[in-house]
DNA sequence: CATGAATGAGTGTTCATTCAT
DNA sequence: CATGAATGAACACTCATTCAT
């Protein structure tokens, strides 16, 4: 893709994000996205196969970027606990920093049809795998207990963080999300005791 | 409501659950629910304000019953940890036992519009409050650490269990969900260490 | 179908015929047909599967009625030549009498897509078969020459009459179509000599 | 037009014929024709006013060539019957030889809109005139009966041959079209007797 | 002359809800 | 109370044509 094409491709994805954030999933018509992007309706279809393709691309691109950031950041970590803290920090702070993205991924895109949700699931999988690797690393290094059920725990950890973000959004962002990293890590590392 | 009315009211909710489970949220037309319930389309509107009202009522009734069961069950518990284990056990085993309900609440109803999701949120709230109370009880009894962020932790715990159920559903129920109670409680009580 | 339903079914077909005749095949939107029939757009779909189904039904019903009329009329004929004359007479006079139907079947419906044309072809087949039967009858009775290629001749006869109707329509109906029966039969029976 | 221009003009018409034959009338987009012709979409519009103009030109050119061939061939004929046989022979054999052209003219181009069909009619007119002249020649020479309705008969003859070709195409060309010349002429000359 | 990216008008179909019976 | 026929708003996508380069 030339830089000209790439530019328009990006502007359509940005427009989609904004329109969904402002109008909700069901209020995000293709014509509205086109208008926001400053192109004609038909132009959308020069860059995306159909409406679903816009949404999948949006999710993949943004979540893919996050996962890349995760991978890069945990390179420098000295321990599995440290890595987990880094992941949680990025997870919370990036979504706090980008409220549109948070709203769209946590709330709006989840009300999509089954096909789109499958594609979204595929985008989330690498992230859950990343958490799993951190857990394995911790078990091998002796940081985490050896009887840890890694498959189960990766779900517990992902679900816990995911719900904290959603809960923060629904509350109307009345408090700092990134300030929850310490409390979250305390829970992950020490449990309730 | 007379018992005659109540009977029909219930049969419509049952029909809704079955139709959504079999056809998905977007394949659950009012006419299909009416047919399954053995009534005319218009009759639905003598018992429910609109389609959303059916879904909200369905969620409230079924989730309300669960929360009642939770409340009853933790009466007999000797400790907060015990109470939490009981809650988790009911949460997992009830949804495992009622796969239709699990599928509809975890997967299908989440693709509904924002209004319905707000109502669903309201139904979930008492459950989250229940978890919060257990946490407070544990802190007060000295079972749980005194610096526990109760508001944050209730989200972490709910989100963790919720994701475990969803993950089990998506996997195709290839393993026992209720067998995950111990591993889940280990994580809640001991964390990763 | 109840008579009430049948009434509306017919009024939609009549509306379709009128709208196509007045606006052409490509100007015959479902909404226009609905308006002409005095029903809502959605009502159309209570009686027909889709737009194509309207057009196929229209063709089948009207052409089927014609073929029925042919069959009934040739019962009383004393010779194959007489039968052929009767068929030609009905063919010309019915389309002359119903200019809308003529226009729609000869001009408009022929610009439809392949699926519709197949269905139309199926409707025309019984008519061509009828012509074939008359030819066979004539050969057997010795009226027509014994070396007649029946399969070929049925096409020649149908095509000849069909073109006469089309030609008359395109000319703007400046002359009487039914007055062409004698000349047509002369040609069929005597050829050019 | 320079020969360079003419070359490209022809290649676009050839491309149009091929694309319509392979994809049908409704599957013959301008962009597909351009691609087949090896030019850019916009280039088409340097040679043709619009899409309709391509199709009309295609029909005129190909049919015009046929009519020229007819005129040339009947010069050498000794009788009207001979001329008619020659016309029928060329009609059938040329379309049998060029199945693409047959398919496009008999099936695909007939599903076009009214404007295009008028233009096509104009292209067919000289052919029908030619048949008319042959009939007049036959009447004057005493070959054909003097009470022949020439205007009517030209339609009968054209329609008959046209239907034979279409019928042969729809059958899947399971038999020889040019072998139908004798049977056709027998019918034209002797009628059914 | 040639390109091809961009345009934007146009339409069949679904389904929650109503209301005359 | 119950029915179910009728309603009508809402929207993704295609493709002939243009025009800046």
């Amino acid at each position: 893709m030339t830089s000209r094409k790439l530019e328009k491709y990006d502007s359509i994805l940005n427009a989609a994000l904004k329109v969904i954030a402002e109008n909700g999933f069901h209020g995000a018509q293709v014509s509205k996205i086109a208008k926001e992007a400053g192109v004609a309706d038909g132009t959308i279809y020069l860059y995306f196969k159909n409406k679903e393709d816009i949404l999948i691309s949006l999710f993949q691109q943004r979540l893919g970027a996050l996962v890349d950031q995760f991978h890069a950041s945990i390179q420098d970590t000295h321990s599995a606990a440290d890595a987990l803290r880094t992941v949680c920090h990025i997870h919370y702070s990036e979504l706090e920093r980008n409220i549109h993205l948070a709203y769209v991924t946590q709330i709006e895109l989840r009300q999509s049809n089954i096909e789109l949700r499958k594609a979204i699931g595929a985008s989330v999988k690498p992230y859950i795998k990343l958490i799993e690797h951190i857990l394995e690393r911790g078990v091998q290094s002796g940081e985490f207990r050896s009887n840890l059920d890694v498959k189960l725990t990766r779900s517990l950890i992902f679900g816990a963080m995911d719900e904290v973000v959603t809960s923060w959004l629904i509350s109307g962002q009345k408090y700092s999300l990134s300030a929850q990293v310490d409390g979250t890590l305390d829970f992950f590392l020490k449990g309730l005791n």
Side-chain angles (χ1 to χ4, degrees), chain A residues 70-85:
Chain A
F70 287 138
H71 276 291
S73 298
I74 62 172
Q75 298 292 347
D76 308 326
T77 54
H78 302 303
S79 65
D82 198 14
L84 197 60
R85 180 176 306 273

Side-chain angles (χ1 to χ4, degrees), chain A residues 123-135:
Chain A
S123 287
V124 171
K125 195 135 200 194
Y127 183 35
I128 293 187
K129 274 280 173 201
L130 177 83
I131 295 173
E132 185 179 346
H133 288 319
I134 295 175
L135 293 177

Side-chain angles (χ1 to χ4, degrees), chain A residues 65-149:
Chain A
L66 265 188
V67 174
D68 288 349
Q69 205 179 336
F70 287 138
H71 276 291
S73 298
I74 62 172
Q75 298 292 347
D76 308 326
T77 54
H78 302 303
S79 65
D82 198 14
L84 197 60
R85 180 176 306 273
T86 301
V87 162
C88 182
H89 176 71
I90 297 175
H91 189 145
Y92 286 3
S93 60
E94 279 301 308
L95 292 179
E96 183 169 39
R97 202 171 59 80
N98 195 339
I99 178 78
H100 271 186
L101 182 63
Y103 192 67
V104 169
T105 56
Q106 301 293 127
I107 309 284
E108 296 301 339
L109 280 187
R110 304 207 178 181
Q111 42 186 300
S112 56
N113 61 52
I114 204 72
E115 281 311 307
L116 177 47
R117 299 185 77 194
K118 268 185 196 159
I120 291 175
S123 287
V124 171
K125 195 135 200 194
Y127 183 35
I128 293 187
K129 274 280 173 201
L130 177 83
I131 295 173
E132 185 179 346
H133 288 319
I134 295 175
L135 293 177
E136 281 167 349
R137 172 180 163 188
V139 170
Q140 275 161 20
S141 72
E143 269 181 275
F144 300 158
R145 56 192 158 87
S146 58
N147 69 339
L148 198 68
D149 183 337

Side-chain angles (χ1 to χ4, degrees), chain A residues 95-96 99 102-103 107 163-177:
Chain A
L95 292 179
E96 183 169 39
I99 178 78
Y103 192 67
I107 309 284
E163 175 66 20
V164 167
V165 177
T166 297
S167 183
W168 166 78
L169 275 171
I170 288 175
S171 82
Q173 308 103 51
K174 294 214 183 93
Y175 49 92
S176 163
L177 178 57

